[in-house]
Amino acid sequence: MAAHSTPKWFRSLICPGYVFIMPAIIITAGLILYPLLNGLIVSLHQWNWVSSGMNYMPFIGARNYVRLVHDPYFWNSLRHTFYFALGALVIEFGLGMLGARLLNAGLRGALLFRTALMFPLMVSDIVAAVAWKMLLNPSMGPINTILAGLHLGKPNWLGNPALVVPALSIVDAWWQTGNLTLILLAGLQTIPREPMEMAKVDGANSIQLFRHLVWPHLIPFAKTAVAFRVIDLLRVFALPWGITGGGPGRASEMAQLYIYAQGMGRYLDIGYSTSLAITFAIIVGVSVLVLFGRPHGEG
Amino acid sequence: MKKTLYHTALYMGLAVLAMVFLLPVLWMVATSLKNPVDDTSLALPSKPVWGNYAEAWRTGGFSAAFFNTMFIGIGAVVISILAGLPMAYSFARYRVRGRGALSGSLFALRILPEMVFLLPLYAMYRKLGLFDTKIGMILAFQIITLPYCVWLLRSFILQVPVDLEEAARVDGCSEWLVLWRVTLPVIAPGVVASSVLSFIAVWTSLLFPLALSYSQSQTVSVTIANFKGYGTFNWPIMAAASVIATIPQILFFGLINRYLVAGLTMGGVKE
């Protein structure tokens, strides 16, 4: 038979399992793999389009990486990023858990409230940024109008270096708490009713119920939700870029904001900014691995 | 009696939360209908100025950006589904060598900060003439939408009973036909959900168009961001533009409400 004369490796290549992945592999190779490898090479070159043009690109070994170790602005931006992420995560998880439990209490009209709680998810981050830039405006913004009405003063949210990162965390919490609420609610809804009823009959209090029945069910949901939030929080760009532009001074400059400014955003120092991006990618990857292991079970 | 009190407390909690999350949106809508000289804070508009919407639509290339984003989003989604569906099927059904590593690295892409791709792509695009073109944007967005589609579609395919496909195979269907005639119709809602979620990812993305486009392929996000740069800081027009940009998103979210959790976790947890 003809099939037997073709070599075995060739037959295994044309089996549908491989053919099916080919289109995606080609796209991945050209648009993902090639740029990534190219980036690694670029990061080992001096390539500054402003000072010496696109065509001057000498190999300088690891000197970009040595430079970033001594770049205080880069480490500053990292500190702001983690500070921002931690603040936002704490608020989002707390409010998300509260929202999920309230929505799961079996009240009439819960669906309506669910829509209200997840509404900010339907707004893009740059629209959220534009909105909150106005809302937090110290003199004309409604937030300070309310605070002044309660005799709480008019804090300069976006102009005070000590307040600006927490303010951004609060904006992110407004934008993404619904994310946590939805996933935790999905988790709560998987809990079977019978053991809960039985435990209640046996006189378990609500803290015991939560610790022994609810929480074990919620763990995989909480872990996945938090993992995705951490990934997206560390990569934050649109909120600080749209609200403060990293200011005042550099008080709210986050990692991707700084990398963007060093690269196509401002200084066109492509070699150096690429080394920053790769270093930041490793930092995010390691943080996520340390915190969560592999977030997905492999099937 | 105790039960009513408890329920009232729960409703109060929910109402407060709902207010916190809804008021900023309602404030934006109210602001979009005000005169620039109106009180910007809490008052309702004295008389709704619908003309703000027309003006926002005409200002700063907003309408062009709106259609650009539609075009780029649809293009990106079509390619991602066409290439992603067979890959997702393969990952879900065949024992392909290196499959674990491959699907694992597709997931790892979700973790990498955008700038890792955008800097080398920017240099590439400048050289190849793809900078600020719609086709360049469609290709670049594959970095986001393709892995997303593969993961989502795979989780939908895994829920289809294998028996269904086996039966078709026994009847002599080729592998392509099994995917096309048996699996695809069953996961059609999943395909719609993946498409919509990917489209929203393109629609809302800021960093990609900021890095890889300038004027010809500018998207809605960049235009909105640019409003704040214009000399006159016109709140009502900015608010109106933001509302217009959000309407398609709300419509799409309504369409795929059921699959939101799958979308947020890339199919990682089951409802």
Side-chain angles (χ1 to χ4, degrees):
Chain A
M1 280 198 345
H4 284 278
S5 58
T6 52
K8 199 174 166 208
W9 62 267
F10 185 73
R11 259 184 292 138
S12 77
L13 261 187
I14 58 167
C15 88
Y18 286 99
V19 175
F20 278 14
I21 62 175
M22 275 308 147
I25 289 279
I26 292 167
I27 294 175
T28 313
L31 287 160
I32 297 177
L33 213 59
Y34 176 75
L36 276 182
L37 293 176
N38 192 35
L40 281 178
I41 295 166
V42 164
S43 77
L44 301 176
H45 290 76
Q46 184 201 321
W47 201 19
N48 188 327
W49 296 10
V50 169
S51 70
S52 38
M54 262 175 93
N55 296 319
Y56 181 72
M57 196 182 168
F59 180 80
I60 54 166
R63 246 180 289 168
N64 280 328
Y65 290 93
V66 175
R67 179 176 158 199
L68 74 82
V69 171
H70 300 289
D71 182 346
Y73 297 136
F74 178 56
W75 298 105
N76 249 336
S77 71
L78 275 178
R79 225 185 25 244
H80 298 150
T81 310
F82 277 87
Y83 180 30
F84 159 81
L86 183 69
L89 190 66
V90 168
I91 309 174
E92 284 166 26
F93 193 82
L95 283 183
M97 187 64 106
L98 179 67
R101 298 219 65 188
L102 289 173
L103 288 177
N104 198 44
L107 295 174
R108 219 176 300 161
L111 202 67
L112 209 67
F113 283 111
R114 179 179 179 269
T115 310
L117 262 53
M118 58 172 247
F119 204 85
L121 288 181
M122 296 187 239
V123 174
S124 72
D125 41 6
I126 188 64
V127 167
V130 167
W132 280 88
K133 194 186 162 87
M134 298 191 257
L135 284 161
L136 289 172
N137 185 296
S139 54
M140 293 151 73
I143 300 281
N144 273 5
T145 309
I146 296 172
L147 289 179
L150 299 168
H151 300 290
L152 290 169
K154 287 192 164 191
N156 190 356
W157 296 102
L158 306 176
N160 181 344
L163 276 182
V164 65
V165 176
L168 290 175
S169 295
I170 291 172
V171 173
D172 195 273
W174 174 79
W175 182 47
Q176 284 295 315
T177 293
N179 185 329
L180 273 285
T181 309
L182 265 182
I183 298 173
L184 291 173
L185 178 64
L188 286 177
Q189 284 164 348
T190 62
I191 299 171
R193 293 231 169 260
E194 270 179 32
M196 288 285 275
E197 299 302 329
M198 270 158 64
K200 269 185 209 161
V201 171
D202 290 344
N205 65 35
S206 53
I207 295 172
Q208 285 169 328
L209 277 179
F210 187 79
R211 255 192 65 196
H212 298 290
L213 276 171
V214 178
W215 186 237
H217 270 280
L218 270 187
I219 285 175
F221 289 85
K223 246 181 115 168
T224 312
V226 170
F228 277 103
R229 270 328 287 144
V230 168
I231 293 167
D232 287 343
L233 281 166
L234 292 179
R235 305 186 313 169
V236 66
F237 179 82
L239 286 187
W241 190 81
I243 298 178
T244 66
R250 291 176 181 271
S252 65
E253 191 167 60
M254 311 271 170
Q256 289 225 86
L257 225 62
Y258 183 63
I259 299 169
Y260 174 74
Q262 292 297 309
M264 65 286 268
R266 198 153 183 189
Y267 298 106
L268 289 175
D269 195 344
I270 304 296
Y272 182 54
S273 54
T274 307
S275 73
L276 290 172
I278 290 169
T279 309
F280 180 55
I282 293 169
I283 292 172
V284 173
V286 169
S287 312
V288 171
L289 273 180
V290 167
L291 285 172
F292 306 103
R294 289 174 64 166
H296 262 281
E298 188 51 55
Chain B
M1 182 62 204
K2 199 182 157 200
K3 185 128 189 171
T4 339
L5 214 66
Y6 178 65
H7 273 191
T8 314
L10 289 183
Y11 272 119
M12 295 269 279
L14 275 175
V16 170
L17 277 183
M19 292 268 278
V20 166
F21 290 111
L22 270 186
L23 274 183
V25 178
L26 297 177
W27 177 83
M28 277 292 267
V29 175
T31 302
S32 74
L33 294 171
K34 283 180 182 176
N35 270 312
V37 292
D38 275 349
D39 180 11
T40 48
S41 57
L42 292 165
L44 285 168
S46 46
K47 184 168 158 273
V49 187
W50 297 101
N52 285 342
Y53 281 85
E55 198 180 333
W57 183 252
R58 282 194 306 264
T59 307
F62 186 85
S63 53
F66 192 90
F67 293 119
N68 274 348
T69 322
M70 283 282 172
F71 181 82
I72 293 168
I74 292 170
V77 166
V78 167
I79 295 181
S80 284
I81 294 289
L82 287 181
L85 182 63
M87 182 181 247
Y89 185 72
S90 179
F91 282 171
R93 291 293 188 248
Y94 301 117
R95 305 248 138 239
V96 174
R97 221 174 306 154
R99 181 190 67 164
L102 253 170
S103 62
S105 42
L106 273 188
F107 183 73
L109 288 175
R110 179 72 172 67
I111 297 179
L112 292 178
E114 294 91 329
M115 287 305 290
V116 177
F117 303 106
L118 290 176
L119 282 161
L121 267 186
Y122 177 73
M124 254 170 81
Y125 273 25
R126 280 283 187 184
K127 282 185 185 160
L128 297 173
L130 282 168
F131 181 77
D132 198 20
T133 61
K134 292 188 191 71
I135 184 74
M137 293 300 294
I138 290 175
L139 289 175
F141 271 120
Q142 297 308 313
I143 295 171
I144 301 178
T145 54
L146 181 62
Y148 196 48
C149 283
V150 170
W151 268 90
L152 276 174
L153 291 170
R154 174 178 164 278
S155 75
F156 285 115
I157 293 170
L158 283 173
Q159 289 166 27
V160 179
V162 189
D163 305 351
L164 218 60
E165 292 162 11
E166 286 305 330
R169 258 179 223 121
V170 170
D171 291 344
C173 272
S174 74
E175 289 303 306
W176 286 104
L177 274 181
V178 172
L179 171 56
W180 185 248
R181 289 266 174 79
V182 181
T183 316
L184 187 59
V186 181
I187 62 157
V191 174
V192 173
S194 311
S195 308
V196 169
L197 287 163
S198 303
F199 182 86
I200 292 175
V202 173
W203 186 263
T204 59
S205 171
L206 175 69
L207 203 38
F208 271 65
L210 205 56
L212 301 178
S213 76
Y214 184 68
S215 61
Q216 294 307 307
S217 60
Q218 204 172 61
T219 69
V220 168
S221 299
V222 180
T223 318
I224 299 266
N226 279 343
F227 268 110
K228 77 186 164 70
Y230 290 147
T232 47
F233 192 65
N234 191 332
W235 286 20
I237 302 298
M238 273 168 67
S242 302
V243 172
I244 300 176
T246 307
I247 288 171
Q249 246 171 292
I250 294 179
L251 295 179
F252 278 134
F253 263 100
L255 211 64
I256 48 123
N257 201 353
R258 272 186 61 205
Y259 300 102
L260 260 187
V261 172
L264 292 173
T265 62
M266 286 170 85
V269 292
K270 300 278 172 294
E271 258 180 283

